[in-house]
Amino acid sequence: MEEKIDRLLAQIEGNLDYLRELGIDYVPGDKSLPAGDLSKKKVFSSLEQEIRQCRKCPLAELRKNAVPGEGCIDADLMFVGEGPGRDEDLQGKPFVGRAGELLTKIIKAMKFERESVYITNVIKCRPPGNRNPKSHEIEACKGYLFKQIELISPKVIVTLGNVPTRFFLNTKTGITSLRGRFHTYKGIRIMPTFHPSYLVRNEEDRSLKKMVWLDMQKVMAVLGKK
Ligand code: URA
């Protein structure tokens, strides 16, 4: 019995040490208060801090700002793009340029608020001239995205365009064949769709928007938004 109590006390002490490491020195006794949520917030913001200071690949030398991501850390729905563009690099926020405006419209049409989903990219720093991320850049950066997904634990991830879709599905197949149906990544549903920049660049082709909307309706159905 005593041994058991000692083990329990050691376990509690270990947990408290962990919380102290995160900067939490007060844990309310009231079970209804969200000590767990508090620590998640702390872990998340230290992850964002780490991303903002990251120097794991040469893109760090070229950036104005790293762009960790933005939104609700308890979101059911996550959007993942390829990497920050010029506007995102300047502001340190994802999807704030023209493609971002369109993404915000799509999110609203899905009956979500931009703040209630989480938006991020496969890589967190802008590649020069908005070229596609190179595999060594993705390799250096991917741990951040994995950690974000682990913490948020979304029900659905919408992948925008080829880069995030191929990343999650580990394939070279193109977005046109993969979009519009659910795939799975570690038990999470993945819905690939066209990148909003592609829609902006091909504004006259209304069928693209229609296809994205069909894809998003499937996501809405899964998340109870119909
Ligand atoms: N394109 C992306 O893939 N991500 C952004 O954040 C902006 C444009």
Side-chain angles (χ1 to χ4, degrees):
M1 182 70 174
E2 247 173 57
E3 231 176 72
K4 202 171 168 187
I5 291 173
D6 283 347
R7 261 208 317 273
L8 270 174
L9 284 174
Q11 224 173 47
I12 293 168
E13 198 47 48
N15 289 347
L16 288 173
D17 280 346
Y18 175 65
L19 290 172
R20 276 186 215 107
E21 260 172 48
L22 298 171
I24 298 165
D25 47 18
Y26 171 70
V27 181
D30 183 344
K31 283 205 185 88
S32 65
L33 290 173
D37 290 353
L38 251 184
S39 68
K40 177 169 163 179
K41 258 191 205 159
K42 281 264 178 190
V43 174
F44 212 89
S45 58
S46 68
L47 175 64
E48 287 180 342
Q49 198 55 25
E50 197 184 329
I51 295 171
R52 290 193 195 284
Q53 293 166 356
C54 178
R55 311 213 70 82
K56 284 188 189 171
C57 87
L59 293 180
E61 309 300 323
L62 307 169
R63 72 176 180 228
K64 292 256 182 312
N65 290 290
V67 183
E70 174 174 82
C72 173
I73 64 171
D74 296 312
D76 284 340
L77 177 57
M78 208 165 157
F79 289 85
V80 181
E82 54 183 63
R86 186 173 161 274
D87 297 305
E88 291 75 23
D89 176 61
L90 289 174
Q91 295 187 41
K93 293 179 177 181
F95 283 95
V96 288
R98 277 194 75 195
E101 278 169 26
L102 179 54
L103 179 62
T104 306
K105 278 189 193 159
I106 294 170
I107 292 169
K108 288 212 167 120
M110 294 172 78
K111 302 185 187 154
F112 284 92
E113 294 302 320
R114 192 175 151 115
E115 301 72 33
S116 69
V117 303
Y118 195 83
I119 305 171
T120 189
N121 287 297
V122 173
I123 63 161
K124 313 302 190 197
C125 293
R126 182 193 183 207
N130 293 351
R131 63 155 168 75
N132 277 354
K134 300 209 161 133
S135 55
H136 69 91
E137 294 159 355
I138 293 178
E139 205 48 41
C141 212
K142 68 182 185 187
Y144 296 132
L145 179 58
F146 290 153
K147 192 76 199 164
Q148 288 173 320
I149 293 168
E150 188 190 313
L151 288 166
I152 296 170
S153 185
K155 293 196 174 114
V156 178
I157 298 175
V158 173
T159 52
L160 303 166
N162 271 323
V163 171
T165 304
R166 288 174 170 164
F167 172 76
F168 283 112
L169 305 183
N170 195 22
T171 175
K172 288 196 169 18
T173 308
I175 185 70
T176 310
S177 329
L178 295 169
R179 62 150 283 275
R181 61 199 155 89
F182 284 109
H183 305 256
T184 2
Y185 165 80
K186 291 192 178 168
I188 302 170
R189 286 181 215 238
I190 301 282
M191 174 57 79
T193 198
F194 292 121
H195 195 291
S197 299
Y198 183 60
L199 267 56
V200 169
R201 283 200 305 274
N202 296 281
E203 221 160 11
E204 69 295 341
D205 186 350
R206 300 195 57 80
S207 71
L208 295 176
K209 265 194 186 162
K210 225 181 228 170
M211 283 189 265
V212 169
W213 184 234
L214 284 175
D215 304 347
M216 295 307 99
Q217 282 178 301
K218 291 179 186 163
V219 172
M220 289 164 69
V222 164
L223 298 175
K225 290 282 184 180
K226 268 205 160 169

